[in-house]
Amino acid sequence: MKQVITILLILIVYPGISKGIAGKVYCIEGIRHADASYHPIDTGSTNPYLNINAFELDIISPSSGVQLYENGLLFLSLSKTTSRMISKHISFGDRELHYVSLNDSVPGNQYLFNTDRPLAVPAEGISFTGDRSGFYYSKLSQDDGKVKIYRAEPGSNVSLEMWEINDEALSFCQDHNTYTHPTVSRSGDIMIFSSDMPGSMGGLDLYISRYENNAWTTPENMGNKFNSTGSELYACLDQNNNLYFSSDGLPGLGGFDIFFSNFNGYGWDDPVNLHDQINTDNDEVAFKINRHGQNHGFYTMIERSGIMKNKINRQLYKVELSAEYKNDNAFLLSDVLREYAMNSPLLAMQKDAKRREDEKLTEAQRIADSLRAEELKAERLAAEKRAEEQRITDSLETARLEAERRAEEQRIADSLKAAELEAEKRRADSLRAEELRKQQEATARDKVVYKVQFLSSMQSVQSKTISVSGKTYKTSEYFYKGAWRVTLGEFDDLEEAIEVRKLLREEGYDQAFVVAFVNGERSLDMDLFKR
């Protein structure tokens, strides 16, 4: 009880300590969520291999970052040529993409990005293929007002280095949902982006599509290992397909934190929070890394101030290896970020505690921060528990649906098998009945032999053989109405006799026809010729 009273007195004497309890609302690219305020901490990394410095380049709304291009940066800026812009081509107001060259930690010369018509989209929503054969970008669709993904191609006029903009969204962007922030692997066969398409777990989830048979496959949700009830945005693949992205739903320090996921050759490992390297209690978003052998990247910190937290400041930061390791090929920026995030023993609140110790904060500040650390720990454990419960629920639901699917497939297979067996039985019965009928008919009537008559003669020509279409037949003759009639073959089957008659006519015996003999005597019974 004495300890509680002491804490209350401290909070009264030092009212500034309690400001972290008040809630605030974040709004990034239309995504709103509630989160708690935190005491501001210095931007900087405890990773001795890193050097992080502010980069003086204005990030204007609605953009949240930049994209690396050639030896510089693409960024959204106020256009200097608005008089030539067509209103229906402007997705985000009076803005246009610019290119700036890099001179260490300051921007160099600035130019308009060379497209066949003005392109006013946030630069962090652009991703180039590894061979620069095209780039993908997200912009508002004129059809439904939702953000979709499009592709731009190199222009036909190579000397102008002009990019041609395509007004048709990618094939999988057909429904009335958002598709934004694409990142394409260097090989061009993997795309990861954010969407709220059916099946999403929160605001916007990470989805993956693969380029197969000259088309992008149906997107697949990357699952609750990456996605949360919040939003996952700003995906970025480095040269080895390692994945960076920002999330406000996975356990972190502030609103949006930057996460890293290692590509293991088949898929991606569990994401880790870059907590004591880049992230603070502000929003860290739009991480981009150079994929062409240069060890540097960029990200944006978004701070909110004012009574209503409605004043927004976007600060661009450049992150690179320290001077000692910058030109050492044994060190890669992605490897340093990954290894330090996965193996560092420091936690975010431990960093705060060390900083407070160095600054010799009062005992009251230490107690208040300790309470806040416990609260954060409880929130983190609760979030992890909810995530695990959701994973188990999803797994059970998946197993139930799979069992139902297998049961339905078995039912259909059994039904088809039964129908097939019944059909086979009916066919067998029908064939047997027909066979019995023919046997009965054959037993009921006298022996019938069919011959093909092809010649008449006043004198007997006696028996001989004749070849028809390569097959040899014996001839025979009988006396009928004052003349000898010459026939070929003896056939039990009328159809076979008719076929031979046809062959004889083709051989030149135009008058050949079939005659029937019953018990050795010619018969004129026409019923014998019914087919």
Side-chain angles (χ1 to χ4, degrees):
M1 183 66 180
K2 182 179 179 180
Q3 183 180 8
V4 173
I5 295 174
T6 302
I7 293 172
L8 291 175
L9 288 174
I10 291 172
L11 293 177
I12 293 172
V13 175
Y14 299 97
I17 295 176
S18 64
K19 71 178 183 178
I21 300 175
K24 68 178 179 180
V25 175
Y26 285 6
C27 182
I28 295 182
E29 297 279 319
I31 307 298
R32 300 181 62 84
H33 68 279
D35 200 356
S37 301
Y38 296 83
H39 297 295
I41 63 177
D42 294 335
T43 300
S45 172
T46 61
N47 188 333
Y49 296 94
L50 293 185
N51 187 21
I52 301 178
N53 292 299
F55 192 84
E56 298 305 321
L57 186 68
D58 288 338
I59 305 298
I60 63 174
S61 178
S63 184
S64 296
V66 298
Q67 178 59 277
L68 288 94
Y69 176 64
E70 301 296 347
N71 294 317
L73 300 175
L74 288 182
F75 67 103
L76 192 63
S77 179
L78 293 173
S79 175
K80 298 179 181 180
T81 57
T82 56
S83 60
R84 67 179 177 84
M85 297 179 72
I86 303 173
S87 60
K88 72 177 182 178
H89 292 161
I90 304 175
S91 298
F92 296 96
D94 192 15
R95 304 286 192 268
E96 195 163 351
L97 279 174
H98 287 70
Y99 167 80
V100 65
S101 58
L102 286 180
N103 295 321
D104 197 15
S105 293
V106 295
N109 296 326
Q110 177 176 326
Y111 308 93
L112 274 173
F113 185 48
N114 205 4
T115 52
D116 59 350
R117 46 202 155 103
L119 186 61
V121 299
E124 70 274 14
I126 294 176
S127 181
F128 291 86
T129 58
D131 58 2
R132 291 289 195 270
S133 62
F135 69 84
Y136 295 87
Y137 63 98
S138 51
K139 72 169 184 176
L140 288 177
S141 168
Q142 299 296 321
D143 297 330
D144 59 7
K146 298 287 188 178
V147 178
K148 310 290 185 186
I149 299 175
Y150 302 78
R151 178 180 167 91
E153 306 286 350
S156 56
N157 191 338
V158 179
S159 62
L160 295 178
E161 297 182 354
M162 181 75 72
W163 293 95
E164 295 182 353
I165 305 304
N166 190 344
D167 288 327
E168 184 176 354
L170 298 187
S171 59
F172 57 73
C173 300
Q174 298 303 314
D175 50 23
H176 297 291
N177 295 104
T178 294
Y179 300 81
T180 188
H181 299 148
T183 180
V184 184
S185 61
R186 287 191 68 182
S187 58
D189 59 353
I190 298 174
M191 177 187 292
I192 297 177
F193 60 91
S194 299
S195 178
D196 59 356
M197 61 191 297
S200 299
M201 302 176 187
L204 293 174
D205 281 3
L206 294 181
Y207 283 80
I208 185 171
S209 177
R210 302 180 188 277
Y211 196 72
E212 298 175 356
N213 300 322
N214 297 319
W216 288 104
T217 61
T218 301
E220 298 179 9
N221 191 294
M222 294 188 69
N224 55 15
K225 182 166 71 174
F226 297 91
N227 296 314
S228 67
T229 55
S231 290
E232 283 65 44
L233 299 165
Y234 309 107
C236 172
L237 291 170
D238 68 9
Q239 67 270 26
N240 295 317
N241 286 340
N242 298 312
L243 174 64
Y244 297 85
F245 65 97
S246 292
S247 172
D248 66 344
L250 298 178
L253 301 181
F256 278 87
D257 280 358
I258 296 173
F259 290 79
F260 172 89
S261 177
N262 178 64
F263 183 70
N264 54 35
Y266 303 95
W268 288 267
D269 297 334
D270 290 348
V272 291
N273 189 306
L274 300 181
H275 55 79
D276 52 359
Q277 303 180 85
I278 290 177
N279 294 322
T280 69
D281 58 349
N282 295 297
D283 290 325
E284 282 74 36
V285 299
F287 184 91
K288 302 295 179 183
I289 191 168
N290 189 288
R291 302 200 297 194
H292 298 279
Q294 300 184 33
N295 276 327
H296 66 257
F298 289 84
Y299 69 94
T300 303
M301 176 190 289
I302 300 178
E303 295 180 285
R304 288 167 175 75
S305 59
I307 297 176
M308 303 301 293
K309 300 295 181 183
N310 56 357
K311 293 182 180 180
I312 299 176
N313 176 56
R314 297 176 177 86
Q315 178 60 59
L316 184 67
Y317 285 89
K318 182 179 182 182
V319 54
E320 57 187 340
L321 295 180
S322 301
E324 181 180 356
Y325 308 102
K326 181 185 294 186
N327 298 317
D328 189 340
N329 293 332
F331 290 86
L332 294 178
L333 179 57
S334 284
D335 293 339
V336 170
L337 289 170
R338 177 192 63 210
E339 293 300 325
Y340 203 77
M342 296 177 68
N343 300 316
S344 173
L346 298 177
L347 297 173
M349 296 312 300
Q350 288 175 326
K351 183 178 71 172
D352 281 357
K354 185 178 183 302
R355 178 175 59 81
R356 288 193 296 272
E357 181 181 354
D358 293 342
E359 296 174 354
K360 297 181 180 180
L361 296 177
T362 64
E363 181 67 12
Q365 183 72 60
R366 185 193 65 78
I367 294 174
D369 289 339
S370 177
L371 290 174
R372 182 56 185 156
E374 290 297 323
E375 182 182 345
L376 288 176
K377 180 179 179 181
E379 292 177 356
R380 177 178 60 80
L381 292 175
E384 290 176 352
K385 180 180 179 182
R386 289 194 300 271
E388 178 63 15
E389 289 174 348
Q390 184 63 46
R391 184 192 67 77
I392 294 173
T393 299
D394 293 343
S395 178
L396 291 174
E397 178 64 12
T398 299
R400 184 185 67 80
L401 293 175
E402 178 63 17
E404 290 180 353
R405 182 188 65 78
R406 290 197 298 267
E408 179 63 15
E409 288 180 349
Q410 186 61 48
R411 186 191 66 78
I412 294 174
D414 292 343
S415 177
L416 292 174
K417 183 63 175 178
E420 182 180 351
L421 291 174
E422 180 63 24
E424 289 181 357
K425 183 177 181 302
R426 287 197 299 269
R427 287 194 297 269
D429 291 344
S430 178
L431 291 173
R432 181 58 182 164
E434 179 64 18
E435 182 179 350
L436 290 174
R437 184 186 64 80
K438 289 182 177 179
Q439 289 178 356
Q440 291 170 355
E441 289 181 353
T443 302
R445 70 185 184 185
D446 294 330
K447 176 67 174 178
V448 179
V449 174
Y450 297 96
K451 300 181 181 182
V452 182
Q453 183 172 314
F454 64 96
L455 187 65
S456 295
S457 175
M458 297 305 295
Q459 295 181 351
S460 174
V461 295
Q462 300 184 347
S463 177
K464 61 180 181 178
T465 59
I466 186 171
S467 179
V468 179
S469 296
K471 187 173 181 180
T472 302
Y473 297 88
K474 284 186 176 183
T475 64
S476 61
E477 60 182 10
Y478 69 98
F479 192 81
Y480 181 73
K481 291 187 178 181
W484 292 97
R485 317 296 179 169
V486 182
T487 63
L488 182 146
E490 293 184 356
F491 307 97
D492 294 331
D493 182 68
L494 175 61
E495 295 297 330
E496 186 178 3
I498 291 174
E499 183 63 26
V500 173
R501 180 202 65 185
K502 178 181 175 183
L503 296 175
L504 276 170
R505 288 183 177 180
E506 291 175 355
E507 294 283 344
Y509 297 96
D510 297 337
Q511 301 302 318
F513 63 95
V514 178
V515 292
F517 290 83
V518 178
N519 297 326
E521 296 292 330
R522 180 177 177 182
S523 173
L524 300 179
D525 185 2
M526 298 308 294
D527 289 337
L528 299 177
F529 295 88
K530 289 183 178 181
R531 300 168 66 182

